[in-house]
Amino acid sequence: MGFFVDNIWLVPACPLVGGLFAGFVARRVKIDPFAPVAIGVGLAFLLSLAAYAAADPEKTVVVSRWIEAGSFVVPLEFRVDGLSTLMLSMVTFISFLVVVFAGGYMAGDPGYPRFFAEIGLFVFSMTGLVLSNNYVLTYAFWEGVGVCSYLLIGFWYAKPAAAAAAVKAFLVNRLGDIGFALAIFWLWTVVPNHDLSYQNVLADSTLQSLPEAARWGIPLLLFWAATAKSAQLPLYVWLPDAMEGPTPVSALIHAATMVTAGVYLIARSTPLIALSPEVQLLIATIGCLTALLAALIALTQNDLKRVMAYSTVSQLGYMFMALGSGVGSLARLAIVAGMFHLFTHAFFKALLFLASGSVMHSMGDVIDMRRFRGLRRRMPYTCWTFALGALALAGIFPTAGFWSKDEVLVALGAAPHASREIGFGMGWLYGPLYWLAMLTAFLTAFYTFRAFFMTFWGPEKLPGPDDPEAPPAPVAAHDHGHDHEDHAADAHGHGHHEIGLESPAIMTYPMIVLAAGALLVGLLFGPTGLFEGHLEHTLGFESLPAAGHAFTWTTPIVSTIVALAGIALAFVMYAEPSDLPARVAAAVRPLYRASLNKFHVDEIYDGTVMALLRGFTLGSRIFDVKVIGGLVQGVANVPWAAAKDVLAKYQNGLIQFYAAASALSVAVLLWLLLFT
Amino acid sequence: MATLLALTVFLPLIGALALVLLPNLDKEASRSIALWTSLVTFAFCLLFLVSFEPDVTAPQFAAGPDGGPYGWSWLGRPDVRFALGLDGISIWLFVLTGLLSVVSVLVSWEVASERVALFYAFLLLLETGLLGLFAALDVVLFYVFFEFTLIPLFFNIGIWGGPDRRRASIYFFLYTLAGGLLTLLGVIAIVVVHMQYSPGHVLTFSIPELTRGLATIEWDEWYRVDSWTSPQILIFLLLFAGFAIKVPLFPFHTWLPLAHVEAPTAGSILLAGVLLKLGAYGLIRFNLAMTPLAAQALYPFLAALCVVGIIYGALTALAQTDMKRLVAYSSVSHMGFVVLGLAAMSATGINGAVIQMVNHGLTTGALFACVGVLYHRYHTRDMNVLGGSWVKFPVLAFFFIYSALGSAALPGLNGFIGEFPILAATFAVSPWTCAGAVVGMILGAFYLMVLLWRAVFGPLREPAGDGHEHAEVAPFGWFEGAALGSLAVVILCIGILPEVFFSRIRPAAAELTRVVERQEQAAFKVAARAAAAPAGASVTMLSRDAR
Amino acid sequence: MTPEQAYQTVQQTLYVLAPEILLVAVAIVMMTASPFVKVARKHWCALAAAALAAAVMVLSATRHVDPDVYAASAINDAFSFYVRLFVLLSGFIMLGLAHREPPEGRAAEFFGSFLMLEAGTMLTASSNDLILLFVGLELVSIPTYLWLYLSRRSAATREATTKYFFLSIFASALTLYGMTFLYGAAGTTNLKALGALTASSIPYFPNMSLGILAVVFVMGGLCFRIAAVPLHFYAPDVYQASPLPVTAMLSWVPKVVGSAAMIRVLTAVLASRQMGDPLVHKVVILCWIIAVATMTLGNMVGLLQTDLKRLLAYSSIAHAGYIMVGITAAFAGGEKGIAFYHGVEAVLFYLVAYAFMTLGAFGLIQALQTRDGRPATSIYDLSGAGWSNRIPAFGLTICLLSLLGFPPMAGFLGKFQIFSAAFAAVEGPEAFSLQLLAVIGMLNAAVGAFYYLRIIVLMYLGEPAEPLTAVGGWPVALATATCAVMSILVTIASEPISRACHEAAVASNARPAAAIELPPPGTATAAVAPPAIRVARD
């Protein structure tokens, strides 16, 4: 065990090597690029298990020097404690399953080796992110996952929508990253020895010595960073668009792993965040609003993957709600709740995405739920694993989601009381948040099962070219290419097989494993205290207050009722094709339109931030040419104009004038020197 | 080694002379002469890199044959010397020049069609100028090389440039010359001040001696920087004029986009990759090392120029549809970071700035090379008509994305290694400045992403007509791959093994901060003597991180 | 002074002036003989060249003749030697350029007057007496009229000659008038004695206004020679209308005459007092104004020109401005400036550089002829010449870059020295005005760069105009090649020239045992005898 922990760098290294091999070598030596990555990630998972068992709050591994620019020193150092090993195991496990799934899903795609190379890089970055023991190193991998996500979203590079989504993802993430960067610079300036390792930054002595502004400023900046990576208000907009990437990517990056990086960062920095209850309240509030907004949008989406995407945004909101409720004595409970939800969510959301992918695969890349129906007989594995995932997402006993969501709600419910204990005046706001979270739980159950019923229930229907919802025939035009859905340029190679078949085993087995996870991990880790016990091996956690909380029946019962109500409503409306949804939609038409159009958030961004930016760019371009260029030209013209209009006039060719002018000048000089 | 260093500097010149003087050189022969000359020069550069001793702060390879410490007597005066040497700051720029020269010869392998021999001769001439500049240890020699670089580039742009090449070359030449002349006055002023006020009235033109000496001159006025007319500030501004234009700092940048757009690819690579560094390098050698108190006092002014430049350059880059112009404006933005790091005047900032200079040379060079690959094939750089090159040139797409990510400061590639220390050092001096610069970071990612989005991603778009059929577009050549590949390797090296670079830069940067400290101490003494005035008022001290 | 001493002085003076005497003698022979013998133009030219060569030898032979500086009217210090040597050497270049210029029938007069103006230039540099100096100046002026008149004549050249003639006489009168004030104030025409007097602590001018009158008039007259404001007006008109070899001569010889005279009669006389002296202070102001006005006018109006000769005329005015910067520094720095570049040293070096670059430029333009046998007159005639006439265009480029002040050409080092001299001339608060002068000078150089660059741009980047042919034969080729090569070599291997300039500058300022001290106040109230000038050998 000791060997594996001391060489924990092997965990990121295995997928990296696998990825590089897949990308640059595999094709030349006639090896399926899938194999090295699967092996690398699998090895990483096994190593993670070893690390999981040996988690120690103080254990750090310094691998080598990295940056030493003056006093900006960043060694390559890793931390093997409860939180990192937990994340590590989860990430590698899910990744392994997704890689296996992708082996089937991506078969036949021209970018097959590139896909696995990028996945390998992604797993490398993500494992590095959770292992690193230094804010700068974390940032480095944080950006790394962002880039992998960019590359994977833009995987089908010739597809304009994918390219646009990739750019959007990168930029929104960058917007968040600068918050992280600023936090790092600030920390670097104020912490002793400019040492940004976690044990130095999160040490009590350091935290006590932070200047007043840094005590709330740095947490705020860190949370800003988290909102982008973990898709919270106001920076969640990139995540739904990220569904343009291949479905395994959606499952891996945009559901299970990368998007949890923000949650991880906040959890990791809890001792720092806890310095400022105001920021914690802000975190909870943002989380809650995000959860609610995303759930509302998910209600009306017709694209199966988009429903899942918004659901992810919503569930991430739950996690932040939990982290934000860690005021005062609740700190440890809140982290456990948040991380537990992260943990379980990874399983069932990955499952749901894979199942969606399986549907999409089977439907020949059609993902609009209006174009197929009643697939439960054709695709039994997909249907029932999806159902398990949906139950978990809805939080039905005894699936994983039930346990974790309950913990979140419990923490939230206890927060007003804990706030009063530490004299935090605004703590009452946690009360409304609790009820909004409950409402969100209802919506979650409803939209999840709406998707389930629309896809798998009712009379069977397969997509055909004459559907009213089918996209218009591709326009063969070169100009403004990115404005059109140019399917001609779609490089996705599969879809040649007959549609409507159950996916092959290489795809269903991962789903089955995940379904087992979705069913069991909650039960295994939650009530048994295993999860909380493991997290206690985390840096700084022993100093966090761990108030025992009385178990109450209220929250589980209410939430279960709410969830069941949601499922029931979904059944009534969507189990059989009817005009009921249309009538309901007509009844609340403005609301329906708003939800369907995602509350126009993209348009609002476009009309404000982007318009402002466009104005600025245009302005600066004009300014550059007219004002600055004009100034330079103007200065350059001064001598010319002066010469032309003044000086040259005296060169008139008249000798009398020359003599007179010379004499006069001499006289003036003489006068000047004699009498002044 | 000193002789070898001089030989290395003049090796490209010999190659250039051979190209000009040998009769009837055809394209093949010219380019192989050029390639071999630049390769051998680069090998020599590497030799110096290998024999460079990291912990020695004094200039190395500098001893002259006449036993004196610095080079040969020159210009008919014993105190003006042809003195060459390299320290931890210049060695990297020296090597970078060698590398980029090879790259620029490679990228123009098939491009130059007329007067090929002359084309390469000018490239090699430029290399000599640049190598000489980075190795110069004498202010006059420095200046001679500083200005001399204009000539080859002037002809490079003027003869082989785009349609507006005449205007571009004149604009470039005159603008930078105008600043350079003021810098010359600053250089003279420094020598004069040193001669008039140093103990013993030493007349020296040696950069190391001036740097040391100016911290100990016996002239109280020199250490007072509380008004715009104090001598140190005036000299700073004189020196600054030429360097700021060369960098170029906002608002002295307008020559750059014009020159870049019109320049042939090889010219652009050397212009952005090395020539802009002359400005920053001059700022280090002169403004920082010789007039540090003024640099500190003018920090708000400098920082404002940098931050405005960073943001403004990025915004303007965003508004461009010409790829090359976009990259050109990105240089304005990136060089703002470099100067910002220098202005922080801490070891961290200087380390970051020096490595960032190299970074910018590599990534921008690579980006220009990528744009050049497309331009050579389609004769347009307009992103409205050209795009989706991934479909046709996957290898190019790889390098394009790779370089753009390096430029966007992706950790693991080179940009990050420079930008982070710079920004951290800036934050320590002035958090709001740092915040402004960070806005530039996001905008920087923005224009690079837009560039990739339009040029690499999306369905293939090729300009219609223009006398060539799409099918005949030349494939990605080995020479282009070699050029971009070598850049990519170095980009990665800096990203993951920055210690190789920092271990050599650190001592030099530390030495620089010591010089600054000496002037500060002298200033404190002066301030203490002038007891009538409040002690802190005469010297603007900035809070700074530990050195 | 005993008769023996007087005799010895006269003898030595004649030795010193032997090269000039030789040149003038040959010139007289040529001019007298020409009506009687029929000799081809090229032989007259060869004879003139031989005379120059002989003069060089005589000059070297008399190198160590050293007459009493306070008695002799000629001086043979380093300044005198090096300036004369260089003038003679540049004479070969001018001969090379002008060897075909005069019509066959007038060749003897033409080359004879050339020898005379060479002799005049040398006389100015070696004179140690106001009278001799003026003679030297006139010995340049009068043959110049001849030159202007003797070469191919047209209405334009006649107008140019007239303009030059009248304005030159006007300038000579100014100089002479100023000299009378000098003499009137000090009572001696010996320049070293004048310098010794001014360096002493006795009040040497009964009234400072007299000194100012003297300086302004002398300076005014000499401004004409170097084509500085306010007597620059003739330059563009005369340059444009004259044939190119004559213009080349006009751009170089009067400059060196004027500068040498300024150094001999003004800076060397006054400079030892430095800025603390009210007169020197005023003189510095005067020079400052002239320098700024000249540079600015030359460079700015130069921007407008498209006629090559007119353009180079304004360039010549601009360079006169730079020389005036050096003169200003020489005044302000006095002997102290020796520590760095001295003003005089810088001016001398600049003149050397200027000789090569301006003669080279004129010579190359002269060598490039259009198809119809007309020399290139407009800058547009040179369009594309960089490709059609590679070697001449390359040489012209070098000369233009040197004029522009571009490293590593000679002009750069010249400007470097001039502005260094201005910067280092004074310490303390008064330094600012000189530094400002340097800044203005640099900005001017930046402005002026445009019109030189424009020619280069046209030659290499312009649309090819009708092709030019290089004419002139080997003398022109050799002369211009020398100029172009030297324009680079002067910087790269500047050791000999720099040393010569330095020695000349030191020598020009030397005041051999010049201390005429008042006894300390209080020790001797008795009437001090009229100051006896202690004479000592250097």
Side-chain angles (χ1 to χ4, degrees), chain A residues 65-66 68 70-71 139-140 143 147 150 157-158 174-175 178 185-186 188-189 478 613 617 620-621 624 628, chain B residues 250 253 312 319 329 348 351 408 410-411 423-424 427 438 442 446 457-459 495 498-499 506 545-546:
Chain A
R65 316 156 84 175
W66 186 35
E68 288 182 31
S71 4
Y139 178 88
E143 287 258 291
V147 166
Y150 162 73
Y157 49 82
R174 223 349 139 78
L175 199 57
I178 66 174
F185 303 142
W186 200 338
W188 181 80
T189 309
H478 274 308
L613 191 63
T617 57
S620 64
R621 183 180 177 173
D624 200 60
I628 297 188
Chain B
F250 172 87
H253 63 273
Y312 177 86
Y329 276 104
T348 309
N351 270 302
L410 173 74
L423 290 170
F427 195 98
V438 165
I442 165 92
F446 209 135
F457 285 86
E499 187 53 21
R506 257 198 317 268
D545 61 289

Coordinates of all heavy atoms in Angstrom, one line a residue, chain A residues 65-66 68 70-71 139-140 143 147 150 157-158 174-175 178 185-186 188-189 478 613 617 620-621 624 628, chain B residues 250 253 312 319 329 348 351 408 410-411 423-424 427 438 442 446 457-459 495 498-499 506 545-546:
Chain A
R65 N 10.1 19.3 -8.6 CA 10.0 20.8 -8.7 C 9.2 21.1 -10.0 O 9.3 20.3 -10.9 CB 11.3 21.5 -8.7 CG 12.3 20.9 -7.8 CD 13.7 21.2 -8.2 NE 14.1 22.6 -7.8 CZ 15.3 23.0 -8.0 NH1 16.2 22.3 -8.6 NH2 15.6 24.2 -7.5
W66 N 8.5 22.2 -9.9 CA 7.9 22.5 -11.2 C 8.2 24.0 -11.5 O 9.2 24.2 -12.2 CB 6.3 22.3 -11.2 CG 5.7 22.5 -12.5 CD1 6.2 22.3 -13.7 CD2 4.4 23.1 -12.7 NE1 5.3 22.6 -14.7 CE2 4.2 23.1 -14.1 CE3 3.4 23.6 -11.9 CZ2 3.0 23.6 -14.7 CZ3 2.2 24.1 -12.4 CH2 2.0 24.1 -13.8
E68 N 9.7 27.5 -10.3 CA 10.3 28.3 -9.3 C 10.7 29.7 -9.8 O 11.9 29.9 -10.1 CB 11.5 27.6 -8.7 CG 11.1 26.4 -7.9 CD 12.3 25.6 -7.3 OE1 13.3 26.3 -7.0 OE2 12.2 24.4 -7.1
G70 N 11.3 33.1 -9.0 CA 11.4 34.0 -7.8 C 10.8 33.4 -6.6 O 11.1 32.3 -6.2
S71 N 9.8 34.1 -6.1 CA 9.1 33.5 -4.9 C 7.9 32.8 -5.3 O 7.1 32.4 -4.4 CB 8.9 34.5 -3.8 OG 9.2 35.8 -4.2
Y139 N -5.1 24.6 -10.0 CA -5.5 25.4 -11.1 C -5.0 24.9 -12.5 O -5.8 24.9 -13.5 CB -5.0 26.8 -10.9 CG -5.3 27.8 -12.0 CD1 -6.5 28.5 -12.0 CD2 -4.4 27.9 -13.1 CE1 -6.8 29.4 -13.0 CE2 -4.7 28.8 -14.1 CZ -5.9 29.5 -14.1 OH -6.2 30.4 -15.1
A140 N -3.8 24.4 -12.5 CA -3.3 23.9 -13.7 C -4.1 22.7 -14.3 O -4.5 22.7 -15.4 CB -1.8 23.4 -13.5
E143 N -7.6 23.9 -15.4 CA -7.6 24.4 -16.8 C -7.5 23.2 -17.8 O -8.0 23.2 -18.8 CB -6.4 25.3 -17.0 CG -6.5 26.7 -16.4 CD -6.9 27.7 -17.4 OE1 -6.1 28.0 -18.2 OE2 -8.0 28.2 -17.3
V147 N -9.7 22.4 -21.0 CA -9.3 22.2 -22.4 C -9.8 20.9 -22.9 O -10.2 20.8 -24.1 CB -7.8 22.4 -22.5 CG1 -7.3 21.9 -23.8 CG2 -7.4 23.8 -22.3
Y150 N -13.2 21.2 -23.8 CA -13.3 22.0 -25.1 C -13.0 21.1 -26.3 O -13.8 21.1 -27.2 CB -12.3 23.1 -25.0 CG -11.9 23.8 -26.3 CD1 -12.8 24.6 -26.9 CD2 -10.7 23.6 -26.9 CE1 -12.5 25.3 -28.1 CE2 -10.3 24.2 -28.1 CZ -11.2 25.0 -28.7 OH -10.9 25.7 -29.8
Y157 N -15.5 18.4 -35.2 CA -15.1 19.8 -35.4 C -15.7 20.4 -36.6 O -15.9 21.6 -36.7 CB -13.5 19.8 -35.7 CG -13.0 18.8 -36.7 CD1 -13.1 19.1 -38.0 CD2 -12.5 17.6 -36.3 CE1 -12.6 18.2 -39.0 CE2 -12.1 16.7 -37.2 CZ -12.1 17.0 -38.5 OH -11.7 16.1 -39.5
A158 N -16.2 19.6 -37.6 CA -16.8 20.2 -38.8 C -18.2 20.6 -38.5 O -18.8 21.2 -39.4 CB -16.7 19.3 -39.9
R174 N -13.2 29.9 -18.8 CA -12.1 30.8 -18.6 C -12.6 32.0 -17.7 O -11.9 32.5 -16.9 CB -11.7 31.4 -20.0 CG -10.3 31.5 -20.3 CD -9.4 31.4 -19.2 NE -8.1 30.7 -19.4 CZ -7.0 31.1 -20.0 NH1 -7.0 32.3 -20.5 NH2 -6.0 30.4 -20.0
L175 N -13.8 32.4 -17.9 CA -14.4 33.5 -17.1 C -14.3 33.1 -15.7 O -14.0 33.9 -14.8 CB -15.8 33.8 -17.6 CG -16.4 35.1 -17.2 CD1 -15.6 36.2 -17.7 CD2 -17.8 35.2 -17.7
I178 N -10.6 33.0 -14.1 CA -9.9 34.2 -13.7 C -10.2 34.5 -12.3 O -9.4 35.0 -11.6 CB -10.1 35.4 -14.6 CG1 -11.6 35.8 -14.5 CG2 -9.7 35.1 -16.0 CD1 -11.8 37.1 -15.3
F185 N -3.6 34.6 -6.7 CA -2.6 35.7 -6.6 C -2.8 36.3 -5.2 O -1.9 36.7 -4.6 CB -2.9 36.7 -7.7 CG -2.7 36.2 -9.1 CD1 -3.6 36.6 -10.1 CD2 -1.8 35.2 -9.3 CE1 -3.4 36.0 -11.4 CE2 -1.6 34.7 -10.6 CZ -2.5 35.1 -11.6
W186 N -4.1 36.4 -4.8 CA -4.3 37.1 -3.5 C -3.7 36.2 -2.4 O -3.0 36.7 -1.5 CB -5.9 37.2 -3.4 CG -6.2 38.2 -2.4 CD1 -5.5 38.7 -1.3 CD2 -7.5 38.9 -2.3 NE1 -6.2 39.7 -0.6 CE2 -7.4 39.8 -1.2 CE3 -8.7 38.9 -3.0 CZ2 -8.5 40.6 -0.8 CZ3 -9.7 39.7 -2.6 CH2 -9.6 40.5 -1.5
W188 N -1.4 34.1 -2.6 CA 0.1 34.1 -2.7 C 0.7 35.3 -2.1 O 1.7 35.3 -1.4 CB 0.5 34.1 -4.2 CG 2.0 34.1 -4.5 CD1 2.8 33.1 -4.5 CD2 2.8 35.3 -4.8 NE1 4.1 33.5 -4.7 CE2 4.1 34.8 -5.0 CE3 2.5 36.6 -5.0 CZ2 5.2 35.6 -5.3 CZ3 3.6 37.5 -5.3 CH2 4.9 37.0 -5.4
T189 N -0.1 36.4 -2.2 CA 0.4 37.7 -1.6 C 0.3 37.6 -0.1 O 1.1 38.2 0.6 CB -0.4 38.9 -2.2 OG1 -0.4 38.8 -3.6 CG2 0.2 40.2 -1.7
H478 N -21.8 27.2 -48.4 CA -20.5 27.4 -47.7 C -20.5 28.6 -46.8 O -19.9 28.7 -45.8 CB -19.4 27.6 -48.8 CG -18.9 26.3 -49.2 ND1 -18.4 25.4 -48.3 CD2 -18.8 25.8 -50.5 CE1 -18.0 24.3 -49.0 NE2 -18.2 24.5 -50.3
L613 N -19.6 43.6 -25.3 CA -18.2 43.3 -25.8 C -18.0 43.6 -27.3 O -17.0 44.1 -27.7 CB -18.0 41.8 -25.5 CG -16.6 41.3 -25.7 CD1 -15.7 41.9 -24.7 CD2 -16.5 39.8 -25.6
T617 N -15.3 46.0 -28.8 CA -14.3 45.6 -29.8 C -14.4 46.5 -31.0 O -13.4 46.9 -31.5 CB -14.5 44.1 -30.2 OG1 -15.9 44.0 -30.7 CG2 -14.3 43.1 -29.1
S620 N -13.0 49.8 -30.1 CA -11.6 49.9 -30.0 C -10.9 49.7 -31.4 O -9.9 50.3 -31.7 CB -11.0 48.8 -29.1 OG -11.3 47.5 -29.6
R621 N -11.6 49.0 -32.3 CA -11.0 48.9 -33.6 C -11.1 50.2 -34.3 O -10.1 50.7 -34.9 CB -11.8 47.8 -34.4 CG -11.3 47.6 -35.8 CD -12.1 46.6 -36.5 NE -11.5 46.5 -37.9 CZ -11.9 45.6 -38.8 NH1 -12.8 44.7 -38.4 NH2 -11.4 45.6 -40.0
D624 N -8.7 52.6 -32.8 CA -7.3 52.3 -33.1 C -7.0 52.9 -34.4 O -5.9 53.5 -34.6 CB -7.1 50.8 -33.2 CG -5.7 50.4 -33.1 OD1 -5.1 50.7 -32.1 OD2 -5.1 49.8 -34.0
I628 N -5.9 56.7 -32.6 CA -4.5 56.5 -32.4 C -3.7 56.6 -33.7 O -2.7 57.3 -33.8 CB -4.2 55.1 -31.7 CG1 -4.9 55.1 -30.3 CG2 -2.7 54.9 -31.5 CD1 -4.6 54.0 -29.5
Chain B
F250 N 0.9 50.1 -25.7 CA -0.2 51.0 -26.0 C 0.2 52.4 -25.5 O 0.8 52.5 -24.5 CB -1.5 50.6 -25.3 CG -2.6 51.6 -25.4 CD1 -3.5 51.5 -26.5 CD2 -2.8 52.6 -24.4 CE1 -4.5 52.4 -26.6 CE2 -3.8 53.5 -24.5 CZ -4.7 53.4 -25.6
H253 N 1.5 51.4 -30.6 CA 1.6 50.1 -31.2 C 1.1 50.1 -32.7 O 1.2 49.1 -33.3 CB 0.6 49.2 -30.5 CG -0.8 49.7 -30.6 ND1 -1.3 50.5 -29.7 CD2 -1.7 49.4 -31.5 CE1 -2.5 50.8 -30.0 NE2 -2.8 50.2 -31.1
Y312 N -7.0 46.5 -24.4 CA -7.3 47.1 -25.6 C -6.8 46.3 -26.8 O -7.5 46.1 -27.8 CB -6.6 48.5 -25.6 CG -6.7 49.3 -26.9 CD1 -7.8 50.1 -27.1 CD2 -5.7 49.2 -27.9 CE1 -7.9 50.8 -28.3 CE2 -5.8 49.9 -29.0 CZ -6.9 50.7 -29.2 OH -7.0 51.4 -30.4
A319 N -11.9 42.2 -32.8 CA -12.6 42.8 -33.9 C -12.1 42.5 -35.3 O -12.7 42.9 -36.3 CB -12.7 44.3 -33.7
Y329 N -2.4 42.0 -33.1 CA -2.9 42.7 -31.9 C -2.7 41.9 -30.7 O -2.6 42.4 -29.6 CB -4.4 43.1 -32.1 CG -4.6 44.4 -32.9 CD1 -4.9 44.4 -34.2 CD2 -4.3 45.6 -32.3 CE1 -5.0 45.5 -34.9 CE2 -4.4 46.8 -33.0 CZ -4.8 46.7 -34.3 OH -4.9 47.9 -35.0
T348 N 10.1 37.7 -8.8 CA 9.1 36.9 -9.4 C 8.6 37.5 -10.7 O 8.5 36.8 -11.7 CB 7.9 36.9 -8.4 OG1 8.3 36.5 -7.1 CG2 6.8 35.9 -8.9
N351 N 11.5 37.2 -13.4 CA 11.5 35.8 -13.9 C 10.4 35.5 -14.8 O 10.6 35.0 -15.9 CB 11.4 34.9 -12.7 CG 12.7 34.5 -12.1 OD1 13.6 34.0 -12.8 ND2 12.9 34.8 -10.8
A408 N -2.8 31.0 -24.9 CA -3.8 31.3 -24.0 C -3.5 30.9 -22.6 O -4.3 30.8 -21.7 CB -5.1 30.6 -24.4
L410 N -2.4 28.0 -21.2 CA -2.9 26.7 -20.7 C -1.7 26.1 -19.9 O -0.6 25.9 -20.3 CB -3.2 25.7 -21.8 CG -3.5 24.3 -21.4 CD1 -4.9 24.3 -20.8 CD2 -3.5 23.4 -22.6
P411 N -2.0 25.7 -18.6 CA -1.0 25.1 -17.8 C -0.5 23.8 -18.5 O -1.3 23.1 -19.1 CB -1.7 24.7 -16.5 CG -2.9 25.6 -16.5 CD -3.3 25.9 -17.9
L423 N 1.6 37.8 -13.0 CA 0.3 38.4 -12.4 C 0.4 38.3 -10.9 O 0.0 39.2 -10.2 CB -0.9 37.6 -12.9 CG -1.2 37.9 -14.4 CD1 -2.2 36.9 -14.9 CD2 -1.7 39.3 -14.5
A424 N 1.1 37.3 -10.3 CA 1.2 37.2 -8.9 C 2.0 38.4 -8.4 O 1.7 39.1 -7.4 CB 1.8 35.9 -8.5
F427 N 0.0 41.4 -8.5 CA -1.0 41.5 -7.5 C -0.4 42.0 -6.2 O -0.9 42.8 -5.5 CB -1.6 40.1 -7.2 CG -2.9 40.2 -6.4 CD1 -4.1 40.2 -7.0 CD2 -2.8 40.3 -5.0 CE1 -5.3 40.3 -6.2 CE2 -4.0 40.4 -4.2 CZ -5.2 40.4 -4.9
V438 N -6.0 40.5 -15.6 CA -6.7 39.2 -15.6 C -7.8 39.3 -16.6 O -8.1 38.3 -17.3 CB -7.1 38.8 -14.2 CG1 -8.1 37.7 -14.3 CG2 -5.9 38.4 -13.4
I442 N -8.9 36.7 -20.0 CA -10.1 36.1 -20.5 C -10.3 36.6 -21.9 O -10.7 35.8 -22.8 CB -11.3 36.4 -19.6 CG1 -12.6 36.1 -20.3 CG2 -11.4 37.8 -19.1 CD1 -13.1 34.7 -20.1
F446 N -10.5 34.6 -25.4 CA -11.6 34.9 -26.3 C -11.2 35.0 -27.8 O -11.6 34.3 -28.7 CB -12.3 36.2 -25.9 CG -13.8 36.2 -26.2 CD1 -14.7 36.7 -25.3 CD2 -14.2 35.8 -27.5 CE1 -16.0 36.7 -25.6 CE2 -15.6 35.8 -27.8 CZ -16.5 36.3 -26.8
F457 N -12.1 25.1 -36.9 CA -13.3 24.3 -36.7 C -14.3 24.7 -37.8 O -14.1 25.6 -38.6 CB -13.9 24.6 -35.3 CG -13.2 24.0 -34.2 CD1 -12.1 24.6 -33.6 CD2 -13.6 22.7 -33.7 CE1 -11.4 24.0 -32.6 CE2 -12.9 22.1 -32.7 CZ -11.8 22.8 -32.1
G458 N -15.4 23.9 -37.8 CA -16.5 24.2 -38.7 C -16.2 23.5 -40.1 O -15.1 23.0 -40.3
P459 N -17.2 23.6 -41.0 CA -17.0 23.0 -42.3 C -16.0 23.8 -43.1 O -15.7 25.0 -42.9 CB -18.4 23.1 -42.9 CG -19.1 24.2 -42.2 CD -18.5 24.2 -40.8
G495 N 6.6 24.4 -20.7 CA 5.5 24.1 -19.8 C 5.7 23.1 -18.8 O 5.2 23.3 -17.6
P498 N 9.8 24.0 -16.6 CA 10.3 25.4 -16.5 C 11.5 25.6 -15.7 O 12.3 26.5 -15.9 CB 9.1 26.1 -15.9 CG 8.4 25.0 -15.1 CD 8.6 23.8 -15.9
E499 N 11.8 24.6 -14.9 CA 13.0 24.8 -14.0 C 14.3 24.9 -14.8 O 15.2 25.6 -14.4 CB 13.0 23.6 -13.0 CG 14.1 23.7 -11.9 CD 14.0 25.0 -11.1 OE1 13.0 25.7 -11.1 OE2 15.1 25.4 -10.6
R506 N 16.9 32.8 -12.8 CA 16.8 33.3 -11.4 C 18.0 34.1 -10.9 O 17.8 35.2 -10.4 CB 16.6 32.1 -10.5 CG 15.1 32.0 -10.0 CD 15.0 31.1 -8.8 NE 15.8 29.9 -8.9 CZ 15.4 28.7 -9.4 NH1 14.2 28.6 -9.8 NH2 16.2 27.7 -9.4
D545 N 7.0 41.8 -3.0 CA 7.2 40.5 -2.4 C 8.7 40.4 -2.1 O 9.5 41.1 -2.6 CB 6.7 39.4 -3.3 CG 7.4 39.4 -4.6 OD1 7.2 40.3 -5.4 OD2 8.2 38.5 -4.8
A546 N 9.0 39.4 -1.3 CA 10.3 39.1 -1.0 C 11.1 38.8 -2.2 O 10.6 38.3 -3.2 CB 10.4 37.9 0.0

